[in-house]
Amino acid sequence: MDSNRLLAPPAPIHNTSHHQDVLTTESEDLTPSSSTTEHTPLSLQVPSSPTSKSLGGDTLRSRADSYNSTAETSRSRANSSHSKAETARSRGNSDLTTLRSRFEGDELTTEEALRPDKSTEKDFEVDNSPFAFSPGQLNKTLNPKSLAAYRALGGIYGLERGLKTDLLAGLSVDETTIPEKIGFEEATASAPSKPLDARPIIAQEAIVTGHEIEDQFHDRKRVFSDNRLPAKKAISIWRLFWNAYNDRVLLILTGAAVISLALGIYEAVGAEREEGEGQALDWVEGLAIMVAIVIVVLVTGLNDYRREKQFSALNARKDDRQVKAIRSGKSVMISVFDVMVGDILHLESGDSIPADGILVGGHGVRCDESSATGESDAMKKTGGSEVWQRMVEGTATSKLDPFIISGSKVLEGVGTYLVTSVGVNSSFGKIMMGLQAENEETPLQAKLGRMANWIGALGTSAAGVLFFILLFRFLAGLPNNTDTPTQRGSVFLDILIVAITIIVVAVPEGLPVAVTLALSFATKRMYKENNLVRHLRACETMGNATTICSDKTGTLTQNKMTVVAGLLGTHTNFARDTDMGDEKKTILTFAAAFDGLSPEVRSLLLQSVAINSTAFEGEEDGRATYIGSKTETALLTMAKDFLGMGPVAEERAGVEIVQLFPFDSDRKCMGVVIRLANGSYRLLVKGAAEIMLELATEESPDITARSLETVELTESARQRASANIDDFATQSLRTIAMLFKDFQQWPPVGVQTLEDDKSMARFEDVCQDMTFLGIVGIQDPLRDGVAYAVKRCQDAGIVVRMVTGDNLTTASAIAKQCGIKTEKGLVMEGPKFRQLSDQEMDEILPDLQVLARSSPDDKRILVSRLKHLGETVAVTGDGTNDGPALKLADVGFSMGIAGTEVAKEASAIILMDDNFSSIVKAVMWGRSVNDAVSKFLQFQITVNITAVILAFVSAVSSEEMRSVLSAVQLLWVNLIMDTFAALALATDPPTEKILDRKPTPKRAPLITTNMWKMIIGQAIYQLVVTFVLYFAGYGILGYDTPCLPENLARTCANVTPLDGKLAECLDSGLCTENLHLELNTMVFNTFVWMQIFNEFNNRRLDNKLNIFEGIQRNYFFIGINCIMVGGQVMIIYVGGKAFQIVRIDATQWAVCVLCALPCLLWAVVLRCIPDVYAKAVIDFACKVWLAGARPVMKVLRFVFRPVGKAFTALSRNVFAPTKRFSKRTVSKISRKKGAEDETSGKGKGHAADVEAADTSEMSTIASPKTPTRQQTSAEFPLQPPPITLTTAN
């Protein structure tokens, strides 16, 4: 079977998607050698594509331009005695010089037009290619656009032959390798092998589609690549480890730990020891700090790696989409990544063009190329065959533009185009290869980043004060200090290490990380629930949405339409249920109504349904059906069942389309002009019934009469039709009316024509004084569960508004069924709404619940005014014209099934099932993200306050100037805070109860009154318990009498074997020292266990008491707490010298756990305190604190400014050069390796990719930024942050 000569038959589509497009055909012989143009009737055999905007403004999208309209244009040109072609020929027959084309590059030879640039010479070299053209030669047609290159490649027909494809049938699905090679000269021959309309139609049963072919399109992929851009080299896990470690505070701590380790080793090895003195083990602390830093870096790096992987997968899903292609003569849906050079792709209004190419044919195609070329004007496209014909005739000009540029948008029209460049060879691909997707920082991350700076500033200030206090004490004691210089240096390092570690703990770098984890977890789960998140900020914003403006068709309803009633003329009513409607009217069954039609009326109805339609026959889920707009498929089903309509392709065969009027959401209708057998022309229009009725002035009085007579549409007849429209609307039926009008010529005399095509008439001028044919009422049932979903939104404080193109009565009836319309709710039509002033709009918006007969611009105005009133607005949309409203809204939802590519790109979230219930899921997950961050914030601030104050007070009060929490212990606490708790608290899935509260206002503070109550309350409890243990534990536990037998037996045995010489133990002071170490161990153990128990408290943000609700569904929380508990137990038993602790017995374990456990009961007490009282107390405390803090802050600013400058100088002069050196070293190694790979033929371009990845901080993964802990005290503004208190709901 010759796959290069297949004409697309009316064949079914082996795909379940509703997004099929049109197959545009040429009805004329556009043979370049022809001197005149033969005109044949335009065949409508080829199916058109479905649409996604209804006649009511929701689901019927403009695809009516799916047929070639060049016949009439060529006809008018050929019939004109003054046409350029005739002029050229007449001059050619005389002695005059033949008129030549005038376009840029016209004088260039083939070699000059296709000459490679120096930077693209490799694109012209392809080994063993079976195709006539190389990727470089094909790219010469673009950048800039070049008609000379197009001519050099033989035009559309030369490209067809050279790329071994077929302009009508597309590529063969059975193609693998191509054995026969075609040469450049053979491909660029002047004439096509066969005119388009002379090519045979392949038998339908011979077409093979819908199955996988091993090694499919092997040669095409090898020569031209596929439509994927090579992913930028992913950030390796080693670089993530380096990024985690590349932190000023950690680097300083590492330096201090290295010095401490060196001094400790010197003391253990080089220092002189007294007789009987054990080996010094001070080096263990330095080593333990280094090990702890390694663990922190490893955990952080692995966490970042996991996060990056998740967002990488999200981006892959976000970039993939389905496009409509013609393969083996059938329209099929393929992934945008599978588009090949030589493919024939459909174009329609709203499409985002996936690859470069040449327009084969179409109608009214205009593209927005501003994103690709910077050209702001809409670019009109001319079919490649017409351009070639004009070149042959000598009438081509530079205004002709057959070039389709990837990355541009189709503004209007439909057609097909031949793909010439994909992936890295395409225009858009080349642009994207030089760009990186910037990391996206969400508003919540920005807020938390600022708060982290403030908290870090306070912690750094506390650490600085501690350092100077201990330093002054150390310096004051130097005159009486008898220690060796090494020991004194070790003491100073201990002071420095404790201060630095407090900074590590105080800086809450885990706050932004918690948002990232929550977002990554939520977006992954949302995808499983049919929400594809395109912009991360939308996820968190949706949780605070206050209003949703929803479309009706397909979102609130099932988009499964059926004609259930109608009116033929103004007298004959029919319905599926003859009992519906007014009892005074005679209602016929469908069969009775249609059987009585005259042949003329029946033919007219068939034309209105089948010809004035963009739907076609295909397959869904293995069964034959109609593909396209659900409104049109409902009409086709009615025609098939009751009008005797055969295959749609047969009904359209032989009918000549003269002009098409695509559906327009403003005029709410579509139309088509056909040429009748007697030479006259007929305009067929269908659209919104009440609008169509206003355009009608005549009707057919007798639908059973043999001749089609028309009379004036009287006022009584108009009222009868209007009453039927209202009756259908009250039954929630969509009403569609059909009109027609006959003309003797086209365009009619006296009407305005289009500026760029004088053979086309303006719709507004011809759609007047129409003849009324009838009305149908179409039922679209509500989706299951939509009423419950609307109710849940209303319970959550979200106002749901319906924005639809249906008339007022239909919209109001459906809104009542959904629960959107209430007794006091306001229903308004779009034309009236847009006439209101801003003040009038603001007055009615709180009560507005339904906006009927609305246009996309009405939706945009509605969103704008709602945002002006302070609302957080979510809006749904599916059409190209919905783009502005989707972009303007806080969260735009596009339809995954019925939405255009423009709508999807303008939206923040794609509803993959077009279902309103999925929006409710998005609200739940959005609130879950915000709650997760609040939970973690509450937990971390509590730990920060407690840890910093405990370390500060214990270090200042200690004679040894040591904190009760050592540096390694604080690093373990920091690991619990920043990583484990973030994973545990950020992964709680939402429950239905999350919708039982009102949305959080936009300007609400991050920390509510209830959160402050829990933070301060828990911090007070933890400090009281730890201070009592630390300062009074000796007396309470009996450690103040070390000579007690039980103390001596336990502590001395633990320290060193003394063979029962307890007196010597007592005299040496080891017993007292070990008791002190045991007490410190208990303080540390109790502190960690309080954090573990408090983590359970933070699972709730309200004042309810059940903190274990839903815990069995969160396996992350359970697993991470098991890790924390296991880690703490292991540290106590084997931590030893590294953590500066000793083992404790069962009694001491019981004391630790029992001191920590009451924090659960204390949380119950705190939740019982009314938030109003808590707010009053906290307000008073804040005023007192601010009054005392301001002067202290001024002093600290004065003191720490030099320190900050010192840190900055150290970073600039030490850390920055080191970092640059390491990057250069890695880059050189990568380039060397890439060069070796390229030499071996395995790594073309690898070195450049690696170098680009190593020298840039950006990556293709659109994951949020994670602020690091690199701010120093000089970078932190030392003014207290404003504290706003709100009452939790």
Side-chain angles (χ1 to χ4, degrees), residues 825-1063:
L826 180 64
V827 180
M828 184 176 288
E829 288 187 327
K832 182 179 179 181
F833 174 78
R834 71 179 76 114
Q835 298 300 323
L836 299 177
S837 65
D838 290 347
Q839 183 178 355
E840 290 172 331
M841 284 186 186
D842 295 345
E843 291 175 356
I844 62 102
L845 280 179
D847 298 323
L848 181 65
Q849 294 177 342
V850 179
L851 189 61
R853 282 292 172 228
S854 64
S855 68
D857 195 52
D858 295 329
K859 185 185 293 186
R860 181 190 59 79
I861 295 172
L862 175 63
V863 172
S864 176
R865 296 315 303 171
L866 286 171
K867 290 187 67 176
H868 176 75
L869 295 176
E871 302 277 359
T872 302
V873 186
V875 66
T876 68
D878 58 7
T880 302
N881 293 337
D882 288 327
L886 291 169
K887 204 75 174 177
L888 180 63
D890 294 290
V891 182
F893 286 89
S894 63
M895 304 296 108
I897 299 174
T900 64
E901 291 304 322
V902 171
K904 292 176 183 177
E905 289 191 12
S907 65
I909 300 176
I910 299 175
L911 291 179
M912 300 174 68
D913 60 350
D914 293 8
N915 195 339
F916 183 84
S917 297
S918 296
I919 300 179
V920 181
K921 296 291 186 182
V923 174
M924 293 172 61
W925 278 107
R927 293 191 175 187
S928 176
V929 168
N930 294 326
D931 285 358
V933 173
S934 297
K935 293 172 186 177
F936 180 74
L937 182 62
Q938 180 174 301
F939 173 79
Q940 188 167 51
I941 293 180
T942 304
V943 182
N944 276 9
I945 293 174
T946 310
V948 172
I949 294 177
L950 179 60
F952 185 96
V953 173
S954 61
V956 171
S957 63
S958 171
E959 294 181 0
E960 295 85 7
M961 294 182 291
R962 287 179 176 271
S963 166
V964 66
L965 299 177
S966 69
V968 181
Q969 292 172 7
L970 285 173
L971 288 174
W972 166 243
V973 171
N974 185 67
L975 190 64
I976 292 175
M977 285 194 315
D978 290 341
T979 303
F980 291 152
L983 284 169
L985 295 174
T987 52
D988 258 336
T991 63
E992 286 283 338
K993 293 182 180 180
I994 206 169
L995 297 174
D996 293 337
R997 66 172 191 259
K998 303 301 179 184
T1000 303
K1002 287 182 177 180
R1003 299 187 180 275
L1006 289 173
I1007 306 178
T1008 64
T1009 298
N1010 187 61
M1011 292 172 64
W1012 277 119
K1013 179 178 67 176
M1014 298 300 295
I1015 290 169
I1016 296 173
Q1018 286 291 338
I1020 290 173
Y1021 174 81
Q1022 293 180 17
L1023 288 173
V1024 167
V1025 171
T1026 51
F1027 282 154
V1028 168
L1029 274 176
Y1030 182 69
F1031 290 107
Y1034 285 97
I1036 296 173
L1037 301 175
Y1039 292 172
D1040 54 348
T1041 54
C1043 58
L1044 291 176
E1046 58 272 20
N1047 290 337
L1048 288 170
R1050 184 180 69 253
T1051 57
C1052 290
N1054 284 343
V1055 175
T1056 179
L1058 298 178
D1059 301 325
K1061 298 179 181 180
L1062 298 180

Side-chain angles (χ1 to χ4, degrees), residues 159-304:
L159 290 168
E160 177 189 25
R161 288 189 295 273
L163 297 178
K164 291 186 174 289
T165 184
D166 190 280
L167 297 180
L168 296 180
L171 298 178
S172 170
V173 296
D174 297 316
E175 178 187 315
T176 54
T177 58
I178 300 177
E180 297 180 3
K181 181 178 180 180
I182 184 172
F184 183 90
E185 293 76 12
E186 181 183 355
T188 55
S190 60
S193 56
K194 284 188 179 181
L196 296 180
D197 57 354
R199 301 182 186 182
I201 299 179
I202 186 172
Q204 178 174 328
E205 59 273 13
I207 299 177
V208 182
T209 61
H211 66 286
E212 294 292 332
I213 302 295
E214 185 179 357
D215 216 12
Q216 190 178 34
F217 303 122
H218 174 270
D219 280 340
R220 290 187 189 275
K221 292 179 181 178
R222 178 178 60 83
V223 175
F224 301 112
S225 183
D226 56 16
N227 204 30
R228 287 178 172 84
L229 295 180
K232 288 291 182 180
K233 185 175 179 60
I235 301 178
S236 68
I237 193 169
W238 303 109
R239 177 166 290 276
L240 290 173
F241 288 151
W242 170 251
N243 292 341
Y245 178 68
N246 191 20
D247 181 288
R248 294 179 188 174
V249 179
L250 282 182
L251 291 174
I252 295 172
L253 186 59
T254 302
V258 170
I259 296 173
S260 176
L261 177 62
L263 289 175
I265 293 175
Y266 175 76
E267 289 180 0
V269 178
E272 296 182 359
R273 294 187 297 275
E274 296 180 2
E275 187 177 353
E277 183 180 357
Q279 188 176 22
L281 297 176
D282 291 343
W283 59 272
V284 174
E285 182 178 9
L287 179 62
I289 292 173
M290 296 177 66
V291 172
I293 291 173
V294 171
I295 293 174
V296 169
V297 169
L298 288 176
V299 173
T300 304
L302 289 172
N303 198 18
D304 289 343

